């Protein structure tokens, strides 16, 4: 119909997360992409044409996707020391919680047998069970985010779970950990699942 304006379709990543394009007069040639509160942000120079914007947004979203796949598969460096774990916690807080959760300490512990992690909001400390170390990175990240969220909301109420909605692996990681707990309670070590007899 003449004169009818079409509303542009909101931009999303391959898995449906919202995308925000930020133009900056301070940027001359560089383009960056990062996660912020569950939104993929692509920062471009203000002088880019619409065609350049579309090209770079496509490229940078693809880069974020491949980085996410590497993290999900456990590729890349794992935070093995307490200092590396604390730095990783700060990255996760910035990416998924707007940097609002700022623990005073984050460390691996060997004395947590019935919990994957714990947080003490009064002193800002987080502890992760070292039983998580051999697990996929996306599972460790979920537990770390879970404890970071507890520094903001103590209980497991709706406000707490709302904080974890931005992390795309939440449900998958919960199911993974439930499976590990079930196997452990039945005396099966990881990798010892029985094959059915033929």
């Amino acid at each position: 119909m003449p004169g009818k304006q079409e509303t542009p379709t909101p931009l999303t990543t391959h898995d449906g997360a919202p995308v925000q394009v930020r133009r900056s007069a301070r940027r001359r040639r560089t383009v960056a992409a990062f996660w912020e509160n569950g939104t993929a942000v692509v920062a471009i120079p203000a002088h880019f044409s619409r065609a350049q914007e579309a090209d770079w947004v496509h490229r940078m979203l693809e880069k974020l996707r491949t980085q996410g796949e590497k993290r999900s598969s456990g590729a890349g460096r794992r935070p093995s020391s307490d200092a590396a774990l604390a730095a990783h916690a700060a990255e996760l807080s910035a990416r998924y919680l707007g940097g609002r959760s700022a623990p005073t300490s984050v460390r691996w512990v060997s004395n947590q047998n019935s919990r994957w992690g714990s947080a003490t909001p009064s002193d800002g400390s987080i502890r992760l069970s070292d039983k998580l170390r051999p697990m996929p990175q996306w599972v460790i990240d979920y537990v770390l985010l879970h404890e970071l969220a507890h520094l903001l909301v103590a209980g497991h109420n709706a406000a707490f779970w709302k904080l974890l909605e931005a992390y795309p692996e939440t449900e998958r990681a919960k199911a993974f950990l439930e499976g590990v707990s079930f196997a452990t309670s039945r005396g099966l070590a990881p990798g010892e699942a029985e094959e059915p007899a033929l």
Side-chain angles (χ1 to χ4, degrees):
M1 272 183 135
K4 188 174 180 185
Q5 198 99 27
E6 284 195 29
T7 308
T9 307
L11 199 55
T12 60
T13 63
H14 76 288
D15 57 358
V19 175
Q20 181 183 61
V21 178
R22 288 188 191 158
R23 288 177 171 261
S24 169
R26 284 183 288 176
R27 283 187 181 276
R28 295 283 175 233
R29 291 176 298 184
T30 60
V31 178
F34 52 92
W35 287 97
E36 186 177 272
N37 297 329
T39 297
V41 177
V42 181
I44 62 172
H47 65 80
F48 270 16
S49 69
R50 290 292 171 203
Q52 286 174 305
E53 175 183 320
D55 177 48
W56 276 102
V57 167
H58 174 75
R59 282 198 229 180
M60 298 310 280
L61 290 180
E62 185 60 23
K63 186 174 180 181
L64 283 178
R65 185 183 70 79
T66 56
Q67 286 173 347
E69 284 175 356
K70 283 180 187 168
R71 279 195 198 97
S72 294
S73 66
R77 296 191 60 164
R78 288 171 166 267
S80 55
S81 69
D82 289 349
L85 192 62
H88 190 59
E91 288 172 21
L92 290 173
S93 177
R95 182 172 176 184
Y96 296 106
L97 301 172
R100 289 176 295 145
S101 184
T104 54
S105 71
V106 184
R107 58 196 175 92
W108 293 105
V109 294
S110 57
N111 62 351
Q112 287 193 145
N113 295 319
S114 60
R115 301 164 104 184
W116 298 115
S118 60
T120 308
S122 60
D123 67 7
S125 64
I126 289 175
R127 294 153 306 283
L128 293 194
S129 169
D130 61 5
K131 289 180 175 59
L132 288 165
R133 287 181 186 262
M135 295 187 191
Q137 188 60 46
W138 50 270
V139 174
I140 297 170
D141 287 359
Y142 162 71
V143 176
L144 196 44
L145 271 167
H146 187 106
E147 302 312 329
L148 285 164
H150 273 314
L151 295 184
L152 302 172
V153 178
H156 289 110
N157 58 20
F160 171 83
W161 291 111
K162 183 92 179 143
L163 291 172
L164 293 175
E165 280 179 4
Y167 183 58
E169 305 292 351
T170 291
E171 293 307 316
R172 184 178 171 213
K174 283 165 67 178
F176 182 98
L177 292 169
E178 284 170 14
V180 171
S181 294
F182 178 83
T184 304
S185 72
R186 300 297 184 276
L188 295 172
E192 283 185 11
E194 294 176 9
E195 291 289 328
L198 295 176

